[in-house]
RNA sequence: GCUCGAGUGGUGGAAUUGGUAGACACGUUGGACUUAAAAUCCAAUGGGCAUUGCGCCCGUGCGGGUUCAAGUCCCGCCUCGAGUACCA
């Protein structure tokens, strides 16, 4: 019978479930450790072998930490809201809840077969009202908060209102887009609606007219991170810009703290870099260019500086005053003397007010043209220079010269102020624009030691921050580094601007025009949003007759009957986006059944935050930023005790598919084997990897695969049909999907776990190839033979182990421990193989060696470890057994086999005592018999001896 | 374009601090066992030259450099992957 994995695994999985082996509770006397996997969206396709990779790694770590005496929180749940179930609902009418429920059971079944040590009693599902109650609750807290830059944290709205009532808003420095000033008297004279509208400009969850990514095919708005290359991330549908009234979260208020927090967490450098790029901090100056002729009055009657999000310093640029100019942001204020024109984004609200009558037609045509271009078009035609002159002029504040104002779509309305001062000499985009339209180019920075040449002869601009200022009035002669602060001081003195910092990060658009998501706990009275009272949560997702928008284009929730409050006020009809539920789930695991609070203070102060978080790097810009923001907010309001939610994060690499190909001779039903394909005109076709073993095609299986291949003929080589192969994304259409259930059926979960780890470094992408799995399966069978003979009789003895046997055990213990601690699971598996090989060679069947070995193995292969642990007479479960210690004394050797090199090339080995003095080693090496040949006829110039490493003899 | 990461046998990969390149495994070849197959076990396996023996030369994407010693450090390229994309 031998190693009967199927029986063993079923038995122990049942045992763990029945005994709740992995259930955890707060134990104040024990140190905690929180190991978390990014919870999955349960798709209809089930798990393929790529999904559990990270789960296996984290499970090994969690089990290891348990052996090391930690109280380990290792939960799992489901990110249950999502588009696929809803798309399916639209097609079939099946409620997404039913589809989701079904997919979750399938996931759960598959996960259980792999033997994870999750505490399933803590499972959360984002679509469960008991869970989303707290998502809604957090939204209300965000709605009821504003960001005070003075205290640098979120504060309650009551405090803000009190300040308005006593002093107006002139002393308030809040994150947001509020530019109008009002006094206490004015505030107190406003009616409810006016006040509420003003408050929306401060709230951390706010409603506003925003330029959004509208995806017509999905019928919804998407966040920036959900759009890739102008297409929706899910489904790849075109996305366009549209102005819509939407909920947003004021994540920009946290930009600097999100950036600073990266210093305190252990994420990979590349991931931190991605987050830094996404936040996109840049330092510079904001300043106003006076217009030559004042602009037409704003159609809205008052100046609304919608672009300035990061706030002005009121003493320099009084908010609310009609600036009569164009406000720009620049990171290179030093080049101000080189600003020869200005460019506004076509959407800039000043465009209509400054355009001269003779240019109006051309300008409006351009604005319309840019508006109608899709995002994708705009992105692919980046190189094409387009723009129109408005006819208006501004004054360069330093040169006092008038400079023309253009509009062009290379200036983005969403960044900075939506307007720029163009310095064609030192910015490549401005340079290209100036060249194209024949605008003047002035050089104001010169490379050190170079004589300036006429810009008319230049091929590119000089963009570097290295150099000396020329043609620049009072800063001429200064270096760029000196000139930047000097310029900022000057513009601040002149009262036309100030030094400031800009972020690329945008507020997160938080509404979706979809059904399958959290309803907003919001109702409208007189068109103004109000939160529901907390005791009315959760606001449950209503039933609808169809999952489509209404005839009038409203989202699906508008179809719900009685979608109103008790008092009859209409409820919000948008739902929350996918990242709402995933932004705080790790906190809920700490206290998942609490119906009174999100989580208790006790649970939070015990579990604190996630010690190890594992997941894919596709969440770098989305989930991981939102969750950090969410957590920081909860920290500000005193709920979360840690400011950063994830202490250490590891991104597991993707498992790629390895596709198999057959070669069909064109126009025939004849297939030619891989190495003969060059002799024919062939067509490359995917063959299902399940019909291919070690690149050899099962011809009969292939014929039966699809009717069109029934009569296929084959040109073989050596009697076999050899397939070609290539590494591609694992997908159904490429017929290269490997399902874990089939492998577990054939080899068992322990083999699958070991093999997934053996494949290569955790963080690296790697191709899936089933061939190698035999190797780890053989290892487990070999290991089994250390404990049992061919007749299934236990052959473990109580004999005292030899020095050699102890050395194997202690060497392995040391290696396994250090490999787990540095997340090098692939080398860990090979260490087990080496250990089993060596113990087999030593014919070791001794309990003193084999009992601790079972514990070492248990994080990787828990089922077989439990079984061995039990047959050796221990009481279950092995999961709480202490991890064996290793003792260096068994590892030390009396002699060391020195590799002896001559001029750096290893020539022979020499066994010498480890405590031999250096000079004696040197002597021994030179006098060795084998050394003669290399020294002969040459002088020994130098001998390098590194004890217990190497001897290198330099001859010549 | 910019930023980050990676290039090692037929394949996945190892080499943790500059110190024996190719651990471990797959595959391949040969052998043992067997009526046969499977399973198992043993041996060989980077390339080349020599295989009468000891052996010798080359070799970690390419070209330089530092060092007694470089897959590892430095400089300059090439290729692939990821992110980002007019961010002023």
């Amino acid at each position: 019978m031998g190693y009967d994995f199927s029986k063993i695994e079923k038995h122990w999985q049942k045992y763990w479930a029945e005994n709740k082996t992995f259930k955890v509770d707060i134990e104040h006397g024990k140190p905690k450790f929180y190991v978390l996997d990014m919870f999955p969206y349960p798709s209809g396709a089930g798990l393929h072998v790529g999904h559990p990779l990270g789960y296996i790694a984290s499970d090994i770590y969690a089990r290891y930490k348990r052996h090391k005496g930690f109280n380990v929180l290792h939960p799992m749940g489901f990110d249950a809201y999502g588009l696929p179930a809803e798309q399916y609902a639209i097609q079939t009418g099946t409620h997404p809840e039913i589809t989701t429920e079904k997919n979750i059971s399938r996931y759960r079944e598959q996960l259980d077969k792999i033997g994870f040590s999750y505490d399933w009693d803590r499972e959360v599902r984002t679509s469960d009202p008991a869970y989303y109650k707290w998502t809604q609750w957090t939204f209300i807290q965000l709605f009821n908060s504003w960001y005070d830059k003075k205290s640098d944290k979120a504060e309650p709205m009551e405090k803000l209102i009190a300040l308005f009532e006593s002093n107006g808003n002139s002393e308030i420095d809040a994150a947001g887009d509020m530019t109008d000033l009002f006094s206490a008297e004015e505030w107190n004279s406003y009616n409810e609606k006016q006040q509420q509208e003003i408050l929306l400009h401060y709230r951390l969850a706010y409603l506003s007219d925003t330029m959004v990514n509208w995806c017509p095919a999905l019928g919804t708005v998407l966040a920036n991170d959900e759009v890739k290359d102008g297409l929706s991330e899910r489904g790849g549908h075109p996305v366009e810009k549209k102005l819509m009234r939407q909920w947003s979260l004021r994540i920009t208020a946290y930009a600097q703290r999100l950036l600073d927090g990266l210093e305190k967490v252990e994420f990979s450098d590349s991931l931190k870099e991605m987050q830094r790029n996404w936040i996109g901090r840049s330092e510079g100056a904001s300043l106003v260019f006076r217009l030559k002729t004042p602009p037409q009055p704003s159609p809205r009657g008052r100046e609304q500086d919608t672009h300035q999000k990061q706030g002005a310093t009121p003493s320099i640029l009084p908010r609310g005053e009609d600036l009569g100019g164009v406000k720009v942001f620049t990171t290179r204020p030093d080049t101000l003397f080189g600003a020869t024109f200005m460019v506004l984004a076509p959407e800039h609200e000043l465009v209509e007010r400054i355009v001269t009558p003779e240019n109006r037609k051309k300008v409006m045509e351009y604005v319309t043209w840019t508006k109608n271009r899709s995002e994708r078009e705009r992105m692919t035609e980046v190189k094409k220079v387009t723009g129109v002159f408005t006819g208006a002029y501004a004054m360069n504040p330093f040169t006092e010269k008038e400079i023309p104002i253009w509009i062009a779509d290379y200036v983005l309305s969403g960044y900075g102020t939506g307007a720029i001062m163009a310095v064609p000499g030192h910015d490549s985009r401005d340079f290209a624009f100036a060249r194209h339209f024949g605008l003047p180019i002035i050089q104001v920075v010169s490379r050190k030691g170079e004589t300036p040449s006429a810009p008319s002869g230049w091929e590119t601009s000089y963009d570097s921050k290295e150099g000396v200022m020329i043609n620049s009035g009072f800063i001429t002669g200064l270096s760029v580094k000196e000139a930047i602060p000097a310029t900022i001081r000057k513009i601040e003195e002149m009262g036309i601007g100030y030094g400031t910092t800009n972020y690329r990060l945008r507020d997160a658009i938080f509404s979706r025009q979809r059904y399958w998501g959290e309803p907003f706990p919001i109702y409208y009275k007189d068109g103004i949003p109000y939160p529901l009272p907390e005791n009315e949560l959760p606001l449950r997702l209503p039933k609808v007759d169809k999952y489509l928008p209404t005839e009038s284009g409203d989202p699906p929730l508008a179809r719900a009957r009685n979608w109103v409050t008790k008092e009859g006020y209409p409820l919000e009809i948008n739902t929350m986006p996918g990242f709402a539920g995933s932004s705080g789930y790790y906190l809920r695991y700490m206290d998942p059944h609490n119906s009174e609070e999100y989580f208790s203070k006790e649970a939070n102060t015990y579990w604190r935050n996630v010690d190890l978080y594992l997941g894919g790097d596709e969440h770098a810009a989305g989930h991981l930023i939102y969750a950090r923001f969410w957590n920081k907010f909860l920290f500000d309001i005193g709920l979360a005790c840690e400011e950063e939610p994830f202490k250490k994060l590891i991104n597991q690499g993707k498992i790629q598919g390895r596709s198999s190909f057959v070669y069909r001779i064109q126009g025939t039903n004849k297939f030619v084997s891989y190495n003969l394909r060059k002799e024919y005109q062939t067509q490359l076709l995917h063959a299902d990897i399940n019909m291919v073993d070690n690149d050899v095609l099962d011809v009969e299986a292939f014929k039966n695969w699809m009717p069109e291949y029934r009569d296929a003929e084959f040109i073989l080589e050596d009697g076999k049909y050899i397939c070609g192969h290539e590494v591609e994304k694992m997908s159904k259409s490429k017929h290269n999907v490997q399902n874990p259930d089939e492998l577990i059926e054939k080899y068992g979960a322990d083999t699958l776990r070991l093999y997934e780890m053996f494949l290569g470094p955790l963080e690296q992408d790697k191709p899936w190839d089933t061939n190698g799995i035999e190797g780890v399966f053989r290892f487990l069978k070999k290991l089994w033979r250390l404990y049992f003979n061919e007749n299934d009789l236990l052959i473990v003895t109580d004999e005292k182990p030899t020095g050699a046997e102890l050395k194997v055990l202690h060497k392995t213990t040391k290696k396994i421990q250090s490999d787990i601690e540095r997340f090098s699971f692939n080398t860990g598996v090979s260490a087990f193989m080496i250990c089993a090989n060596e113990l087999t060679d030593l014919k070791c069947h001794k309990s003193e060696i084999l009992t601790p070995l079972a514990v070492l193995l248990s994080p990787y292969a828990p089922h077989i470890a439990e079984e061995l642990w039990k047959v050796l007479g221990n009481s279950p479960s092995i999961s709480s057994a202490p991890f064996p210690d290793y003792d260096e004394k068994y590892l030390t050797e009396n002699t060391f086999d020195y590799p002896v090199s001559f001029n750096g090339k290893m020539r022979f080995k020499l066994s010498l005592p480890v405590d031999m003095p250096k000079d004696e080693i040197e002597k021994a090496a030179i006098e060795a018999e084998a050394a003669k040949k290399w020294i002969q006829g040459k002088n020994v110039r130098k001998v390098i001896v590194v004890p217990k490493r190497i001897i290198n003899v330099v001859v010549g």
Side-chain angles (χ1 to χ4, degrees), chain A residues 883-913:
Chain A
F883 200 79
D885 288 318
Y886 65 88
D887 192 333
E888 288 286 347
K889 82 176 178 209
Y890 297 112
L891 306 179
T892 47
E893 296 267 3
N894 298 326
T895 60
F896 180 78
D897 249 4
Y898 279 96
V900 183
S901 306
F902 290 83
N903 293 341
K905 286 202 168 92
M906 208 281 285
R907 296 302 178 182
F908 63 89
K909 285 187 186 168
L910 190 61
S911 185
L912 297 170

Side-chain angles (χ1 to χ4, degrees), chain A residues 652-719:
Chain A
Q652 87 269 25
K654 275 185 265 302
I655 291 200
Q656 295 141 319
R658 186 184 186 274
S659 306
S660 283
F661 295 105
V662 292
Y663 302 86
R664 183 164 67 189
I665 300 172
Q666 267 178 20
T668 71
N669 202 10
K670 219 176 209 179
F671 294 82
V672 58
S673 188
Y674 178 74
N675 292 301
L676 305 172
R677 71 191 191 286
K678 292 260 162 66
E679 297 165 30
Y680 305 87
Q681 284 278 324
T682 58
Q683 188 186 2
L684 192 71
L685 298 166
H686 280 95
D688 195 302
I689 54 162
N690 292 306
M691 308 181 304
V692 180
D693 184 25
N694 202 10
D695 288 339
V696 178
L697 181 71
D698 180 339
V699 170
E700 285 310 308
F702 183 76
K703 280 184 173 175
N704 293 327
W705 186 32
M706 285 185 204
E708 51 174 311
Y709 300 143
R710 173 116 319 165
D711 303 315
E713 293 174 69
F714 300 88
I715 300 174
L716 308 177
E717 53 181 307
D718 300 331

Side-chain angles (χ1 to χ4, degrees), chain A residues 898-903 910 912 917-927 931 935 939-947 950-955:
Chain A
Y898 279 96
V900 183
S901 306
F902 290 83
N903 293 341
L910 190 61
L912 297 170
K918 265 191 171 187
D919 52 335
E920 281 182 45
I921 295 177
E922 206 175 305
K923 214 169 129 213
I926 296 166
E927 286 171 2
I935 298 171
N939 297 321
V940 176
R941 293 185 194 274
K942 200 173 177 184
V943 182
I944 285 114
V945 175
V946 185
I950 201 169
I951 302 167
N952 190 18
V953 184
V954 186
V955 294

Side-chain angles (χ1 to χ4, degrees), chain A residues 1-8 777 781 784-785 788-793:
Chain A
M1 193 63 222
Y3 166 46
D4 185 357
F5 58 83
S6 173
K7 196 175 130 203
I8 295 170
F777 188 52
K781 285 192 286 187
W784 188 259
R785 285 277 160 266
F788 293 95
N789 68 8
E790 297 78 6
N791 304 318
D792 296 328
L793 291 171

